[in-house]
């Protein structure tokens, strides 16, 4: 009864020991002392159970408080720090920390996100692989893992990085429990002591319960942050939508004002001034050939080549494009695919809200409408120009006089010398090349067509090589790729345009077959290949271009350089054998060869030049034979000869 009374009073253990000493002092019997001793031992067990229950109750109460407090924490970093603080206080650890798995492409690694206690700078941010440390056991099994002395425990998969941090922190006992939601484990909660400590099942269970609560809290915060991010994005979308709607309303109101001006019959200058006022900047309107039509404000000085490149880009894109250097914009002025010009805008401030670019595009449409109203006949002329070139290139044509008359109405003297140029860009924007061709044809009073990636130009002139070079000089930097060009002519009259077109195409195809992409060629340039490519087979011009200086020298001085050339090649380029065949001294042949070098150039004995010269000699000899056969009394010159002898040759 005395023991029960002490238990009821929650007396300390010393009172029970005092009860035993009193029994021995009073001389109690052995049986009584044994019974009393057993009662004291049972009382100690009862006290231990009560103490354990109290500790467990205190731990559960702490868990309840923790669960409540964790619901009040917002933000992932603050939550992780609160969890480590609670874990350290719950089991009186020297240190607590949390490791979370990576959810990116670096899956298979965890990093320490938060730590509590006296820690070094090496703890937070430490990355650990999931095949080492207590965390690897937790991630693999989903159950707690612990060690009373981590560094001395051989059953744990160690790694140098983790061991070095544990050693630097001075840790011994470590407990790790999983952090997760449902069946998914996404992290580990650690508790550690700087002394060897054997953890009880109740302590492990309490830490496990904290880990479950922490996992739910972390998942809740993660979902909350994702929801907040989605809400923020929705708010941004709503804001952008409202801003876009506001911009559209501003654009609509400004466009209505511009259209009202057009309907009132304003000119491009008035429209441009109104648009420049809305856009707050300098505005320049250019026509289809690059001439400045309207200027408002004071635009900066721009390089013409850059302006042309931006203009072609805008026409190819079908919308305004930025000018890189000045911060301005270029908008195409088009109608039904027809290039009517372009608008250049240099704003006072950069266009950032979409209002300026959209209004610039609509301003270009308003300008196109004015130009169409003012230049209906010009647009019709452009269509007639296309039809005229198609008819000139076709096999079925109207009467020559009718075509000449129609061309003169368009400002094109087709009965005067023209050259044909066919250019094929080897890459780049086809839209840019087509826009350039239209502008170039207007500039030079010619005709153009763009088909199958090739630009066809019929332009005034007598030198096809010069015209082709001019096209290459402009078009190549514009498209940023090599341009292969074939040219032919000159031709006068509508009946010869189709033939010149076929010859230019033949030169283009020959360059392609020879692998000379990016080059320029005419039939006159291509030597004997030009004779084959030319439909006129102008052998006389070929002979003149190759050995004309020698023929002139013989005719003027009554020398025999042509005969010496023939003998020299017939003797396999041997001066001695040539002298024998000519019945002259070898020194005479040497002097003649020196004269030939002066007339033909230093490279006349090279393989290619020698082949050309031998072919020209053979053609000259054949022409001379035919002229004698037909009774011709003209000089045996490559530049002359009748048409029948040329065709026979």
């Amino acid at each position: 009864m005395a023991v029960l009374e002490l238990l009821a009073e929650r007396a300390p253990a010393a009172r029970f020991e005092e009860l035993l000493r009193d029994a021995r002092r009073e001389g109690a019997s052995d049986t009584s002392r044994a019974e009393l001793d057993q009662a004291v031992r049972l009382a100690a067990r009862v006290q231990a159970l009560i103490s354990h229950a109290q500790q467990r109750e205190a731990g559960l109460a702490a868990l309840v408080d923790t669960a409540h407090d964790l619901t009040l924490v917002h933000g992932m970093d603050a939550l992780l720090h609160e969890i480590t603080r609670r874990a350290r206080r719950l089991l009186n650890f020297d240190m607590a920390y949390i490791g979370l798995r990576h959810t990116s492409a670096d899956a298979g690694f965890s990093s320490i996100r938060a730590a509590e206690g006296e820690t070094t700078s090496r703890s937070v941010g430490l990355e650990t692989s999931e095949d080492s440390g207590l965390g690897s056991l937790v991630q693999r099994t989903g159950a707690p893992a612990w060690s009373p002395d981590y560094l001395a425990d051989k059953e744990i998969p160690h790694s140098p990085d983790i061991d070095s941090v544990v050693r630097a922190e001075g840790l011994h006992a470590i407990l790790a429990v999983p952090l997760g939601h449902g069946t998914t484990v996404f992290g580990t909660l650690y508790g550690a002591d700087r002394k060897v400590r054997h953890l009880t099942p109740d302590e492990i269970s309490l830490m496990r319960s904290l880990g479950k609560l922490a996992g739910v809290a972390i998942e809740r915060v993660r979902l909350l942050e994702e929801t907040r991010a989605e809400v923020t994005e929705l708010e941004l979308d709503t804001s952008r939508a409202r801003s876009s709607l506001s911009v559209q309303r501003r654009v609509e109101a400004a466009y209505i004002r511009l259209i009202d001006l057009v309907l009132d019959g304003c000119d491009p200058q008035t429209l441009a001034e109104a648009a420049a006022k809305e856009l707050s900047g300098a505005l320049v309107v250019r026509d289809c050939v690059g001439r400045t039509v309207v200027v408002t404000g004071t635009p900066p000085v721009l390089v013409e080549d850059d302006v042309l490149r931006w203009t072609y880009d805008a026409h190819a894109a079908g919308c305004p494009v930025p000018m890189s250097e000045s911060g301005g914009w270029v908008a195409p002025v088009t109608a039904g695919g027809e290039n009517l010009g372009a608008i250049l805008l240099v704003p006072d401030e950069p266009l950032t809200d979409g209002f300026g670019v959209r209004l610039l595009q609509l301003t270009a449409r308003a300008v196109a409408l004015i130009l169409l109203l003012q230049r209906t006949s010009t647009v019709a002329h452009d269509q007639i120009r296309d039809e005229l070139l198609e008819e000139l290139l076709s096999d079925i044509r109207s009467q020559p006089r009718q075509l000449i008359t129609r061309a003169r109405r368009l400002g094109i003297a087709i009965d005067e010398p023209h050259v044909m140029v066919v250019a094929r860009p080897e890459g780049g924007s086809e839209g840019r090349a087509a826009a350039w061709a239209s502008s170039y044809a207007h500039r030079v009073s010619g005709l153009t067509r763009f088909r199958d990636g090739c630009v066809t130009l019929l332009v005034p002139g007598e030198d096809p090589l010069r015209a082709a070079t001019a096209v290459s000089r402009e078009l190549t930097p514009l498209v940023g790729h090599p341009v292969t060009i074939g040219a032919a002519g000159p031709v006068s009259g509508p009946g010869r345009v189709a033939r010149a077109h076929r010859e230019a195409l033949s030169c283009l195809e020959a360059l392609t077959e020879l692998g000379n992409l990016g080059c320029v060629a005419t039939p006159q340039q291509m030597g004997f290949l030009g004779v084959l490519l030319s439909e006129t087979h102008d052998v006389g011009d070929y002979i003149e271009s190759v050995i004309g200086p020698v023929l002139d020298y013989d005719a003027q001085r009554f020398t025999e350089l042509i005969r010496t050339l023939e003998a020299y090649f017939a003797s396999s380029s041997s001066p001695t054998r040539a002298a024998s065949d000519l019945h002259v001294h070898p020194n005479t042949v040497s002097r003649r060869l020196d004269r030939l070098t002066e007339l033909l150039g230093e490279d006349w004995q090279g393989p290619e030049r020698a082949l050309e010269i031998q072919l020209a000699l053979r053609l000259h000899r054949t022409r001379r034979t035919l002229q004698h056969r037909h009774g011709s009394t003209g000089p045996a010159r490559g530049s002359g000869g009748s048409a029948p002898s040329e065709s026979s040759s």
Side-chain angles (χ1 to χ4, degrees):
M1 292 299 293
V3 171
L4 290 176
E5 289 176 356
L6 291 176
L7 281 175
E9 295 174 1
R10 294 187 178 181
R15 295 283 302 277
F16 291 93
E17 293 295 333
E18 183 180 351
L19 188 62
L20 287 175
R21 287 195 299 273
D22 290 345
R24 285 194 294 270
R25 187 171 55 251
E26 293 175 358
S29 63
D30 294 340
T31 302
S32 297
R33 289 200 305 270
E35 291 175 352
L36 182 60
D37 184 64
Q38 184 179 4
V40 170
R41 287 198 304 272
L42 292 175
R45 291 178 61 187
V46 170
Q47 281 187 324
L49 291 174
I50 293 173
S51 176
H52 178 267
Q54 291 174 341
Q55 291 178 358
R56 186 171 181 80
E57 181 181 356
L60 293 176
L63 281 178
V64 172
D65 292 341
T66 299
H68 177 267
D69 292 343
L70 292 182
T71 60
L72 302 178
V73 179
H74 301 290
M76 185 62 72
D77 291 337
L79 176 63
L80 296 179
H81 283 291
E82 181 65 19
I83 292 172
T84 55
R85 188 177 69 85
R86 292 283 181 164
R88 181 168 174 262
R89 291 176 57 188
L90 185 64
L91 295 179
N92 196 27
F93 285 123
D94 292 327
M95 179 179 173
Y97 50 99
I98 288 178
L100 295 181
R101 299 181 64 187
H102 291 289
T103 57
S104 62
D106 296 329
F109 287 85
S110 299
S111 61
I112 303 302
R113 291 284 302 276
E116 177 71 17
E118 296 182 1
T119 64
T120 66
S121 60
R122 300 180 59 184
S123 299
V124 178
L126 173 67
E127 289 196 350
T128 62
S129 64
E130 294 187 358
D131 58 359
S132 60
L134 288 175
S136 65
L137 300 178
V138 172
Q139 297 293 328
R140 186 166 61 250
T141 63
W146 64 93
S147 174
D149 193 355
Y150 181 86
L151 293 177
D153 196 335
K154 303 301 182 183
E155 297 182 358
I156 300 174
H158 290 268
S159 75
D161 293 338
I162 298 177
D163 288 356
S164 64
V165 174
V166 170
R167 191 175 292 109
E169 297 285 357
L171 302 178
H172 287 278
I174 300 178
L175 169 62
V177 296
L179 294 174
H181 178 70
T183 59
T184 303
V185 177
F186 53 74
T188 307
L189 174 61
Y190 299 89
D193 266 336
R194 291 188 171 89
K195 61 182 179 298
V196 177
R197 175 178 175 180
H198 294 275
L199 298 165
T200 66
D202 288 338
E203 292 174 328
I204 296 172
S205 177
L206 195 60
M207 189 72 166
R208 174 67 184 273
S209 299
L210 177 59
K212 291 181 178 180
L213 290 175
V216 173
I218 291 173
E219 181 67 14
R220 179 187 64 83
V221 171
R222 184 186 65 80
L223 294 176
L224 182 60
E225 289 184 347
E226 290 181 356
T227 303
R228 286 176 177 170
E230 292 177 358
V231 171
T232 301
E233 185 63 28
L234 289 175
E235 290 176 348
L236 289 175
D237 289 342
T238 303
S239 176
R240 285 192 289 263
R242 289 176 179 172
S243 176
S244 177
L245 181 59
S246 175
V247 168
Q248 290 298 328
R249 288 174 177 170
R250 290 176 58 201
V251 170
E252 180 182 2
Y255 187 50
I256 289 175
R257 289 193 291 271
L258 295 180
I259 290 297
D260 287 341
L261 290 175
V262 175
L263 296 178
D264 290 340
C266 74
D267 56 10
Q269 179 71 39
T270 303
L271 181 67
E273 290 175 353
K277 184 177 180 181
E278 296 283 353
L279 294 168
S280 300
L283 206 66
V284 178
V285 180
R286 294 161 62 99
D287 63 11
C288 60
V289 296
R291 293 184 298 243
T292 298
V293 178
V294 174
V295 177
T296 64
T298 307
V301 178
L302 300 173
V303 180
E304 181 64 22
D305 291 342
D306 293 338
V307 174
L308 287 175
R309 185 176 71 254
W310 294 326
T311 302
Y312 297 139
D313 286 343
H315 278 280
C319 62
V321 298
M323 297 188 295
S324 55
E325 287 83 0
S326 63
W329 291 76
V330 178
V333 179
T334 58
E338 178 68 26
N339 175 15
L340 300 179
I343 295 181
L344 281 68
L345 170 66
V346 182
D348 297 333
E349 296 181 358
L351 304 182
T352 57
D353 59 355
F355 169 77
V357 177
R358 180 59 179 159
L359 183 57
L360 177 63
Q361 188 174 16
L362 294 177
T363 301
R365 293 185 179 181
V367 171
L369 181 57
I370 291 180
L371 294 178
L372 284 177
L373 293 174
Q374 294 184 346
R375 298 171 54 200
T376 303
S377 59
T378 302
V379 174
H381 284 179
D382 288 338
Q383 296 174 351
I384 295 174
R385 292 163 71 96
D386 295 341
E387 295 173 359
L388 175 62
L389 181 59
E390 290 293 339
E391 190 165 353
L392 290 172
L393 297 179
S394 66
D395 293 329
I396 302 176
R397 292 184 292 273
S398 303
Q399 295 296 326
R401 290 185 179 179
Q402 295 178 356
L403 289 174
I404 292 173
T405 302
R406 287 168 54 189
R408 286 195 176 277
R409 290 173 184 169
L410 299 175
I412 300 172
I414 195 65
D415 54 337
E416 296 180 2
H418 281 66
V419 296
M420 179 65 66
V421 179
V422 180
R424 184 185 65 216
E426 305 298 341
S429 171
E430 292 189 355
R432 183 185 290 184
W436 172 87
S438 176
S439 175
Y440 186 79
H442 279 85
R443 264 191 284 151
V444 299
S445 299
L447 298 173
T448 185
R449 183 183 76 175
F450 187 85
R451 182 178 297 173
D452 299 329
C454 290
V455 174
T456 299
L457 289 165
L458 180 65
V459 297
E462 298 184 1
D463 188 348
L465 179 59
R466 183 177 180 180
T469 303
V471 169
S472 176
R473 187 167 52 249
E474 287 196 26
L475 188 55
T476 298
L478 179 66
V479 299
H481 291 270
V483 179
T484 307
I485 301 177
V491 293
S492 299
R496 301 181 181 180
V497 173
R499 184 188 69 195
H501 181 244
R502 290 192 293 269
E503 290 182 1
L505 278 177
S506 297
C507 290
L508 181 65
E509 293 169 357
L511 287 174
T512 303
E513 292 296 328
L514 294 172
N516 293 333
L517 300 181
C519 296
V520 175
T522 65
Q524 295 85 348
Q525 261 193 310
M526 301 193 72
F528 70 90
L529 287 177
V531 177
L532 300 177
L533 297 175
S534 174
E535 295 189 6
T536 59
H537 302 296
D538 197 350
V539 177
D541 288 343
Y542 174 70
I543 295 174
E544 177 70 19
S545 64
V546 178
I547 59 174
V550 181
L551 293 172
D552 291 339
Y553 193 90
D554 277 354
Q556 295 170 5
R557 292 172 173 77
F558 302 101
T559 56
E560 294 186 344
L561 294 183
I562 288 293
R563 186 163 171 252
T564 302
L565 262 180
E566 292 175 339
Y568 178 71
F569 285 120
S571 62
S572 301
S573 302
S574 171
T576 303
R577 292 172 55 187
S580 175
D581 294 340
L582 293 171
H583 305 291
V584 297
H585 195 276
N587 290 340
T588 302
V589 173
S590 297
R591 288 193 298 272
R592 292 178 181 179
L593 293 177
D594 292 339
R595 180 65 63 187
L596 287 170
T597 300
E598 295 177 4
L599 296 172
L600 298 177
E602 295 290 341
D603 62 340
W604 71 272
Q605 296 189 63
E608 293 185 6
R609 285 292 307 280
L611 176 61
E612 296 275 356
I613 293 171
Q614 292 181 69
L615 180 59
L617 290 172
R618 180 66 59 88
L619 292 174
H620 174 64
R621 184 166 61 251
T622 303
R623 279 169 51 84
R624 188 170 51 190
T625 301
L626 291 175
Q627 287 172 352
H628 287 305
R629 183 179 300 171
H630 288 281
S632 173
T633 58
R637 285 278 287 100
S639 59
S642 62
S645 65
E646 289 178 7
S647 60
S648 300
S649 301

